[in-house]
């Protein structure tokens, strides 16, 4: 019998990138599995795009506020709570899933009026960054207001899942003051990506022996701080003193655009590592995914990070990974480091050492290890089974 699932997703098609892609991939996987009937509720406007037509998926798009009063987002969050509450209470659901807490006022208002049975089936899923560190660390009054309601929701909901174990540690420290309340049902439900269509491509060094790597992220002010771009040229500068032979062959493609891109260009010039970098403002996703299958390593050394879709796609493509330790991407590197390395995001020397280890390793062995790690823990069938088992626990332990 199909599980009946209602999902409230602040971001969804036709928006692309990051969390919107994560939600879209979950919906696609549920549709293809034929094991669930899903009502997807989203405030994302359709615009000029045609609506998605997927088997076993019904989509409801909430109305947007059309007035001119300041703080439109707050008005909308109050508006949305009523139709969302009616949809939740109007039927029996095996699972009501709040995908992220980017609209915490809506979710708090809904949670406060739901009956006990509905609350037992309601799950909050933490994707990280925007609704966690983003709200907590922001200087904007509206974001601090949202952070207050994020914490209220998490205190009042019984069931919390995350895409990564990292955010349970974050919640315990930042929301529950180092004392996770008794009775919280926790579960890890990864994001979903599919491996590329082509088979694993053998990487042969070119005539000059160039070692190509790839990193990606928004280069606006918040993204530049989060993604920690400047750690990479500092590490390359150190690498030149340790292993001049490797530094001479290393080329790192940096895909990202924003007002901080000029600063990054100045940094690599001042460090005299311009020859090691290729700056690319933007690329279609298909080209990025092709690069993930071809480079010697993918770098993501963020100060804080959720389970990055970019890093997860790279794992599925067989890319060796160099990622920051104690963040939402850390689990993508195998425990024995067979597919890459974890680094301290505040230590350029640690990153330089990791680059040496990866460059000196057998690239094909690293790539096979990434594929094996993806297959064991992150393939769509495995994630859907984890989700189904979590839903069954809600029914078995009311």
């Amino acid at each position: 019998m199909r599980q009946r699932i209602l999902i409230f997703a602040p971001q969804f098609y036709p928006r692309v990138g990051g969390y919107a892609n994560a939600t879209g991939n979950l919906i696609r996987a549920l549709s293809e599995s034929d094991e669930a009937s899903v009502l997807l509720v989203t405030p994302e406007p359709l615009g000029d795009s045609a609506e998605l037509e997927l088997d076993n998926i019904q989509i409801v798009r909430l109305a947007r506020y059309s007035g001119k009063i300041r703080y439109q987002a707050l008005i909308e969050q109050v508006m949305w709570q009523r139709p969302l509450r009616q949809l939740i209470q109007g039927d029996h659901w095996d699972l009501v899933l709040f995908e992220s807490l980017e609209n915490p006022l809506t979710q708090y208002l809904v949670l406060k009026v739901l009956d006990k049975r509905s609350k037992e089936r309601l799950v909050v899923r933490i994707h990280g960054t925007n609704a966690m560190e983003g709200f907590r660390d922001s200087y904007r009054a509206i974001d601090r207001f949202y952070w207050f309601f994020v914490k209220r929701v998490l205190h009042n909901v019984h069931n919390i899942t995350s895409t990564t174990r990292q955010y349970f540690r974050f919640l315990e420290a930042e929301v529950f003051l180092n004392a996770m309340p008794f009775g919280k049902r926790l579960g890890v439900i990864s994001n979903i990506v599919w491996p590329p269509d082509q088979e694993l491509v053998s990487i042969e060094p070119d005539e000059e022996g160039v070692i190509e790597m790839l990193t990606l992220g928004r280069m606006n002010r918040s993204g530049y701080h989060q993604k920690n771009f400047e750690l990479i040229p500092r590490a390359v500068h150190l690498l030149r003193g340790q292993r001049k032979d490797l530094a001479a062959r290393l080329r790192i493609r940096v895909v990202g655009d924003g007002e901080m891109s000029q600063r990054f260009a100045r940094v690599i010039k001042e460090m005299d590592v311009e020859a090691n970098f290729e700056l690319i403002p933007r690329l279609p996703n298909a080209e990025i995914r092709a690069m993930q299958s071809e480079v010697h390593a993918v770098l993501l050394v963020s100060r804080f990070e959720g389970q990055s879709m970019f890093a997860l796609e790279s794992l599925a493509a067989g890319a060796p990974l160099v990622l920051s330790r104690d963040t939402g991407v850390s689990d993508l590197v195998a425990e024995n480091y067979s597919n890459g390395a974890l680094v301290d995001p505040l230590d350029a020397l640690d990153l330089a050492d990791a680059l040496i280890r990866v460059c000196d390793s057998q690239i094909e062995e690293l790539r096979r290890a990434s594929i094996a790690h993806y297959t064991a823990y992150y393939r769509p069938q495995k994630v859907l089974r984890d989700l189904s088992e979590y839903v069954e626990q809600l029914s078995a332990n009311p």
Side-chain angles (χ1 to χ4, degrees):
M1 184 176 179
R2 288 179 184 162
Q3 292 177 335
R4 303 192 71 255
I5 300 174
L6 185 150
I7 299 175
F8 175 60
Q11 295 181 22
F12 185 60
Y13 166 89
R15 187 183 299 207
V16 296
Y19 163 57
N21 285 356
T23 305
N25 285 359
L26 173 62
I27 295 301
R28 172 187 159 191
L30 288 169
S31 174
E32 293 178 355
S33 74
D34 200 36
E35 295 179 359
S37 176
V38 178
L39 175 63
L40 187 283
V41 184
T42 179
E44 191 70 48
L46 190 58
D48 296 329
S49 302
E51 185 60 275
L52 286 176
E53 295 185 6
L54 298 170
D55 291 342
N56 309 315
I57 308 294
Q58 179 186 354
I59 300 172
V60 172
R61 295 188 183 268
L62 300 176
R64 306 300 293 257
Y65 175 69
S66 58
K68 297 181 180 180
I69 299 177
R70 196 179 179 190
Y71 296 126
Q72 170 185 344
L74 278 178
I75 296 172
E76 288 180 331
Q77 289 196 48
V78 175
M79 286 171 45
W80 295 334
Q81 63 87 21
R82 183 176 181 182
L84 180 57
R85 170 173 52 85
Q86 291 174 337
L87 288 168
I88 293 172
Q89 293 183 325
D91 213 333
H92 171 76
W93 303 100
D94 296 300
L95 169 67
V96 174
L97 180 63
F98 284 174
E99 279 278 87
S100 96
L101 284 170
E102 291 189 17
N103 297 131
L105 182 55
T106 298
Q107 293 154 327
Y108 174 78
L109 293 173
V110 169
L111 190 61
K112 291 299 288 183
V113 298
L114 287 182
D115 57 58
K116 181 178 179 180
R117 180 177 178 82
S118 296
K119 285 183 180 180
E120 289 295 332
R121 300 291 190 271
L122 190 147
V123 177
V124 168
R125 189 176 185 220
I126 304 299
H127 286 260
T129 61
N130 285 355
M132 296 289 117
E133 294 96 339
F135 287 160
R136 180 199 63 179
D137 297 340
S138 176
Y139 292 106
R140 298 197 315 160
I142 187 65
D143 289 338
R144 301 298 296 175
F145 177 79
Y146 288 156
W147 178 235
F148 172 83
F149 281 101
V150 165
K151 292 188 290 184
R152 297 282 67 74
V153 170
L154 291 169
H155 275 277
N156 283 279
V157 72
H158 297 303
N159 311 305
I160 304 174
T161 67
S162 175
T163 55
T164 167
R165 292 177 297 178
Q166 162 67 16
Y167 275 97
F168 295 141
R169 295 191 290 271
F170 178 91
L171 294 183
E172 187 166 25
E174 300 295 331
V175 176
F176 301 119
L177 304 179
N178 295 314
M180 184 69 75
F182 177 77
K184 297 289 186 185
R185 297 193 190 104
L186 307 179
V188 176
I189 310 296
S190 171
N191 286 327
I192 287 177
V193 300
W194 285 264
D197 294 334
Q198 70 270 26
E199 295 181 0
L200 193 65
V201 179
S202 178
I203 294 180
E204 298 292 341
D206 60 24
E207 295 180 359
E208 298 179 354
V210 172
I211 300 170
E212 294 186 341
M213 296 187 180
L214 173 68
T215 191
L216 174 149
R218 295 169 293 112
M219 280 206 177
N220 58 18
R221 291 188 183 277
S222 61
Y224 194 78
H225 173 75
Q226 177 196 347
K227 301 298 181 182
N228 203 21
F229 285 108
E230 292 184 16
L231 186 75
I232 301 173
R234 293 204 302 270
V236 174
H237 181 76
L238 292 171
L239 185 64
R240 292 173 63 180
Q242 296 177 286
R243 290 286 301 274
K244 191 173 182 179
D245 59 319
L246 289 182
R249 299 160 55 201
L250 186 61
R251 302 291 184 274
I252 301 174
R253 295 172 177 171
V254 182
V255 181
D257 197 13
E259 66 268 24
M260 302 298 287
S261 56
Q262 292 183 350
R263 170 171 169 166
F264 187 73
R266 288 197 303 271
V267 168
I268 62 175
K269 183 176 182 179
E270 291 168 359
M271 292 187 178
D272 194 25
V273 293
E274 284 181 289
N276 295 105
F277 288 86
E278 179 183 0
L279 308 186
I280 306 171
R282 60 179 62 86
L283 283 175
N285 189 61
E287 292 188 32
I288 292 171
R289 297 215 66 183
M291 285 184 184
Q292 292 166 337
S293 299
E294 297 168 357
V295 295
H296 285 69
V298 162
L299 313 180
L300 194 65
V301 292
S302 308
R303 288 180 171 87
F304 56 88
E305 190 69 63
Q307 191 192 55
S308 160
M309 290 292 285
F310 168 64
L312 185 57
E313 288 173 348
S314 299
L315 179 73
L321 303 176
V322 179
L323 307 175
S324 46
R325 187 179 293 112
D326 297 326
T327 67
V329 293
S330 302
D331 291 346
L332 302 183
V333 172
E335 290 186 1
N336 62 358
Y337 305 107
S338 58
N339 69 323
L342 295 176
V343 302
D344 182 342
L346 302 179
D347 189 342
L349 183 58
D350 195 23
L351 176 55
D353 290 341
L355 294 177
I356 292 171
R357 292 196 302 274
V358 169
C359 291
D360 285 345
S361 299
Q362 291 293 323
I363 183 68
E364 298 301 337
E365 291 183 7
L366 291 171
R367 300 184 75 213
R368 281 192 289 270
S370 276
I371 292 294
H373 193 54
Y374 166 80
T375 301
Y377 298 103
Y378 299 103
R379 69 188 188 282
Q381 298 88 339
K382 170 67 166 59
V383 177
L384 289 182
R385 186 166 66 248
D386 291 342
L387 176 61
S388 179
E389 290 174 356
Y390 187 85
V391 175
E392 290 174 0
Q393 289 177 21
L394 301 183
S395 300
N397 300 289

